[in-house]
């Protein structure tokens, strides 16, 4: 935990403090630290010694995808944080690598070509030969390409944050079409000329009676959406999709959230269950959804999927506990046929009830522990199942016949995890959750919104609230929709140490500190509504002017786009619960990613919510202006700050306001590496806006992610000031942070 000495205008570099929001206090269920081999250590139980290259330097190795050469002799592994792709030869040694220079989200093979999906805004595809020699680059394919299918000389690319599937000519690289799909397309699978697209998050209004993610079907002959398959109520956090070899059946990994219930317990999957949905391709409908969980042992965060060559076995990685589940398809289908059959002893009689019957697949599945952290991507090759462990930086090889780990392939020297990396591990790990039902990522994937309303107990039972993004949660106190948590740190400590939903003997303080480090350094992803170079579109530029003229900035001032105050929310009129309290002003930074909108997730169209709020303020706005204003709001992101003024804490426990208490603690976050000396200035003003005095404080040089805390007292400040402004600049006076005004 951070500890500061009480000093006058001197810097104190703290270790990382603690916290996250207590948005779902009974859902914050975290995770164990990594055990077993040291990061980067390589062992095998069935092959030779692995000699990994040193392409990552001091970057973490985070395997994000697996693919195989056409002859099955080479395995390709993409690395998100190491920004590389590795080729593993048949002897288990790393035979080559490709440094991409940006995050590699996935790797796909087709014929003798290797397709590497690289980058975020303005993402690209690097096409290489089998030995990873670059052949060409296809640029500006979309925002964060995550999967690809080659079909009839065309590339179909799932762009996660563009929410599109791009159609690209394989030879010329020309983008032929952008097909709009649902929220965050994550994975693709092809059956005939039908392309199935698995979308990550629900797209329904969160206050609807039935909320779920969708599977889109694209007719590749017409390059348009031909069908839209709604998943079971509560389906979200969709990670992967794969087709059986005969093309008759498709499988989808996801979570089923029981958001209709108050979060009073975890037993028997009361809050979240973990599932696979089965789609019949003839009817293009969900046949049934079955749970991977056991009655007293959850199967948290199902991720990658792969099938055996003969279609008899389905393999699914459990990211929350680093396990692999093998599902016997014949036994699964036998159980399915028993539902509703004459003489059946099953307690369920309807196919739609399978999703609520935990023991349904108990005779058809087997779980294998992999012994690492972060099992995600899965592939089947030559009788073995390959599983990429995102946090361990290794690939585990499982003998498909024996269902045992036969080899472990390290991809390089894994640096020791710092607090931020540990916090990310904890966020995604369900090992210390009671009965392993879920991780924090179950409700907050990537520490963002999951798209469901929950009846969290911290603000009283019977009031549903939208899952909040954790981005900037430490910079925008108070927390919770109703502002009942004074800040993020307080919420973390209460959630980790104050709930009975943990396994015993956990170090709640260490977990809290690490998670806070992770949440503190979350950075906004550039909006898909921006131009590829990160600039505002012409529509958004006009919208920015309207944002000021319509008074939006009064409650949502830059750089945090929130005044951090409570206000009467007009959307209370859509809430049929007993809720009547004022609501915390949410930050609009990265609001494009926190869909649906309002504290109960009532709105699914930003243009409509803009028109609604303008009308409620007594003004009028045209459809064209509403569209431009919405375009700007959806474009809001980081202000390109080197430093962010995180928060101001007063000695009386209040935050981000002028207080009579003489002690003031100001914290900064280094959002980028800064090799130049910086200074922080506190400028004090009277009620008429006249500058009374200012104080400069040396900031120094800091690495990205570092938090710097300054303690001051009022002996350095003028009496009678009304407000002060905190700025950070370099020696030449260039601004390094957007000014933060602190008022009464």
């Amino acid at each position: 935990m951070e500890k500061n000495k009480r000093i006058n205008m001197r810097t104190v570099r703290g270790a990382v403090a603690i916290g996250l929001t207590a948005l779902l206090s009974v859902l914050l269920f975290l995770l164990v630290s990594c055990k077993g081999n040291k990061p980067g250590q390589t062992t095998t139980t069935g092959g030779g010694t692995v000699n990994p290259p040193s392409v990552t330097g001091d970057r973490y190795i985070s395997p994000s995808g697996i693919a195989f050469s056409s002859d099955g002799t080479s395995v390709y592994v993409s690395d998100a944080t190491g920004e590389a792709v590795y080729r593993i030869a048949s002897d288990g040694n790393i035979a080559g690598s490709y440094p991409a220079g940006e995050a590699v989200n996935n790797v796909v093979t087709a014929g003798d070509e290797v397709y590497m999906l690289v980058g975020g805004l303005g993402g690209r595809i690097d096409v290489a030969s089998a030995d990873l020699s670059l052949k060409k680059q296809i640029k500006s394919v979309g925002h964060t390409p995550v999967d690809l299918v080659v079909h009839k000389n065309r590339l179909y690319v799932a762009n996660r944050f563009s929410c599109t599937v791009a159609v690209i000519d394989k030879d010329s690289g020309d983008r032929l079409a952008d097909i709009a799909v649902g929220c965050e397309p994550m994975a693709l699978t092809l059956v005939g000329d039908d392309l199935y697209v698995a979308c990550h998050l629900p797209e329904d209004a969160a206050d609807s009676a039935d909320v779920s993610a969708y599977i889109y079907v694209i007719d590749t002959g017409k390059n348009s959406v031909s069908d839209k398959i709604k998943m079971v109520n509560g389906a979200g956090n969709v990670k992967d999709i794969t087709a059986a070899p005969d093309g008759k059946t498709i499988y989808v990994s996801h979570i089923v959230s029981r958001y209709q219930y108050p979060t009073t317990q975890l037993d028997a999957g009361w809050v979240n269950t973990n599932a696979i949905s089965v789609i019949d391709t003839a009817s293009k409908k969900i046949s049934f959804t079955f749970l991977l969980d056991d009655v007293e042992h959850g199967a948290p965060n199902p991720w990658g999927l792969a099938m055996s060559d003969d279609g008899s076995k389905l393999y699914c990685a459990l990211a929350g506990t680093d396990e692999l589940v093998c599902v016997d398809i014949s036994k699964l289908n036998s159980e399915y046929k028993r539902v509703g059959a004459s003489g059946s002893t099953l307690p369920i009689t309807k196919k739609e009830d399978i999703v609520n019957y935990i023991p349904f697949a108990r005779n058809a599945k087997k779980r294998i522990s992999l012994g690492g952290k972060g099992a995600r991507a899965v592939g089947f090759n030559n009788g073995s199942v390959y599983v990429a462990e995102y946090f361990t930086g290794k690939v585990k090889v499982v003998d498909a016949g024996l269902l045992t780990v036969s080899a472990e392939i390290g991809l390089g020297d894994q640096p020791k995890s710092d607090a931020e990396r540990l916090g990310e591990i904890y966020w995604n790990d369900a090992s210390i959750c009671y009965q392993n039902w879920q991780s924090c990522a179950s409700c907050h994937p990537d520490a963002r919104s999951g798209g469901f309303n929950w009846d969290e107990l911290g603000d009283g039972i019977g009031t549903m609230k939208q899952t909040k993004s954790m981005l900037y949660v430490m910079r925008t106190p108070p927390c919770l929709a109703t502002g009942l948590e004074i800040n993020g740190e307080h919420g973390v400590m209460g959630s980790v140490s104050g709930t009975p939903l943990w396994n015993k003997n956990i170090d709640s303080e260490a977990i809290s500190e690490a998670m806070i480090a992770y949440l503190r350094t979350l950075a906004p992803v550039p909006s898909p509504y921006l131009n590829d170079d990160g600039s505002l579109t012409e529509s958004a530029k006009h919208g920015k002017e309207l944002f000021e003229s319509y008074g939006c900035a009064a409650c949502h001032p830059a750089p945090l786009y929130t005044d951090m105050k409570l206000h009467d929310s007009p959307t209370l009129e859509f809430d049929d619960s007993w809720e009547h309290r004022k609501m915390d002003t949410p930050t609009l930074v990265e609001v494009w990613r926190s869909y649906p909108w309002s504290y109960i997730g009532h709105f699914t169209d930003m243009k409509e919510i803009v028109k609604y709020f303008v009308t409620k303020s007594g003004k009028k706005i045209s459809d064209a202006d509403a569209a431009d204003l919405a375009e700007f709001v959806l474009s809001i992101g980081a202000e390109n700050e080197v430093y962010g003024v995180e928060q101001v804490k007063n000695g009386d426990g209040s935050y981000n306001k002028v207080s009579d208490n003489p002690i003031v603690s100001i914290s900064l976050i280094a959002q980028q590496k800064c090799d130049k000396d910086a200074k922080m200035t506190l400028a004090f003003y009277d009620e008429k806006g006249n500058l009374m005095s200012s104080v400069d404080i040396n900031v120094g040089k800091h690495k990205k992610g570092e938090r710097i805390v300054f303690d001051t007292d009022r002996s350095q400040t003028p009496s009678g000031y009304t407000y002060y402004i905190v700025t950070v600049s370099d020696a030449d006076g260039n601004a390094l942070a957007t000014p933060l005004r602190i008022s009464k």
Side-chain angles (χ1 to χ4, degrees), residues 21 48 74 82 132 323 332 446 465 563 565 578 601 625 649 705:
T21 66
S74 293
L132 291 182
E323 295 175 279
L332 181 71
D446 300 314
K465 301 289 192 309
D563 62 3
K565 297 179 180 179
W578 59 263
D625 280 355
K649 179 181 179 180

Side-chain angles (χ1 to χ4, degrees), residues 225-275:
V225 173
S226 58
D227 288 279
K228 185 178 174 182
I229 304 170
K230 185 174 177 63
M231 301 180 73
V232 296
N233 193 11
N237 230 321
V238 178
K239 297 301 187 187
D240 205 0
I241 186 170
T242 193
D246 62 9
K248 295 180 180 179
T249 309
I250 285 174
Y251 302 92
V252 185
S253 59
H254 61 94
I255 288 174
V256 179
S257 295
R258 312 293 173 157
Y259 65 92
Q260 306 96 326
Y261 305 123
T263 56
T264 54
Q265 63 186 48
L266 289 180
D267 299 81
W270 183 265
V271 176
N272 281 307
T273 48
N274 304 279

Side-chain angles (χ1 to χ4, degrees), residues 53 82 172 183 211 229 317 382 549 601 657 739:
S172 68
C183 289
V211 182
I229 304 170
N382 291 333
S549 64
K657 68 178 183 179

Side-chain angles (χ1 to χ4, degrees), residues 136-411:
K136 64 180 178 181
Q137 290 184 328
I138 304 173
K139 298 183 178 180
S140 297
V141 300
H143 196 324
T144 312
V146 291
D147 203 4
L148 176 148
V149 165
V150 181
H151 182 56
K152 294 182 179 179
N153 208 45
R154 291 178 177 176
L155 308 180
Y156 290 84
V157 184
N159 294 305
R160 179 178 178 183
F161 295 131
S162 299
C163 296
T164 60
V165 172
V167 185
I168 297 171
D169 185 277
K170 181 176 179 292
D171 296 326
S172 68
D174 294 337
R175 196 156 78 184
L176 306 177
D178 287 304
I179 306 170
V181 291
C183 289
E184 300 186 12
M186 295 289 285
L188 308 172
T189 195
L190 186 70
V191 176
D193 289 331
D194 288 328
L195 183 67
Y196 290 77
V197 186
C199 296
H200 192 208
L201 301 176
E203 62 182 78
D204 302 303
D207 58 352
S208 302
D210 190 334
V211 182
S212 72
Y214 288 75
I215 306 299
Y216 280 67
V217 185
I218 293 174
D219 181 339
T220 58
K222 299 178 180 179
N223 282 337
S224 61
V225 173
S226 58
D227 288 279
K228 185 178 174 182
I229 304 170
K230 185 174 177 63
M231 301 180 73
V232 296
N233 193 11
N237 230 321
V238 178
K239 297 301 187 187
D240 205 0
I241 186 170
T242 193
D246 62 9
K248 295 180 180 179
T249 309
I250 285 174
Y251 302 92
V252 185
S253 59
H254 61 94
I255 288 174
V256 179
S257 295
R258 312 293 173 157
Y259 65 92
Q260 306 96 326
Y261 305 123
T263 56
T264 54
Q265 63 186 48
L266 289 180
D267 299 81
W270 183 265
V271 176
N272 281 307
T273 48
N274 304 279
I276 291 176
S277 283
V278 182
I279 297 174
D280 173 60
T281 58
S283 64
K284 294 185 175 58
K285 293 181 179 180
I286 301 287
S287 295
F288 64 103
T289 298
F290 68 96
L291 301 180
L292 296 168
D293 309 294
D294 297 309
V295 174
E296 295 183 345
H297 185 196
N301 306 107
W303 204 289
L305 293 170
M307 293 211 76
S308 59
D309 292 337
D310 61 3
S312 65
K313 301 293 191 298
L314 174 68
Y315 303 93
C316 180
L318 302 182
T321 46
D322 204 71
E323 295 175 279
L324 182 70
V325 177
C326 174
V327 180
D328 186 304
I329 297 301
S330 177
K331 292 181 179 179
L332 181 71
N333 291 338
S334 294
E335 291 298 307
Y336 177 66
K337 292 176 182 177
R338 291 178 59 205
V339 179
S342 176
S344 173
T345 58
L346 287 175
I348 54 175
T349 58
K350 298 179 181 179
K351 301 294 193 297
E352 54 267 31
D353 291 334
I354 293 174
V355 68
N356 299 317
Y357 181 50
I358 294 176
F360 174 79
R362 61 186 172 187
N363 297 321
K365 61 184 174 68
K366 182 177 179 180
R367 294 168 66 158
I368 308 107
S369 176
L370 300 173
K373 285 295 170 190
R376 293 190 178 183
V378 180
F380 185 90
N381 183 52
N382 291 333
S384 294
V385 185
Y386 291 74
V387 186
E389 292 180 331
Y390 188 87
F391 294 113
T392 311
K394 299 177 181 179
V395 174
K396 297 292 177 63
V397 185
V398 175
D399 185 301
L402 299 175
L403 291 180
T404 57
V405 176
S406 60
E408 181 180 275
I409 304 171
L411 301 175

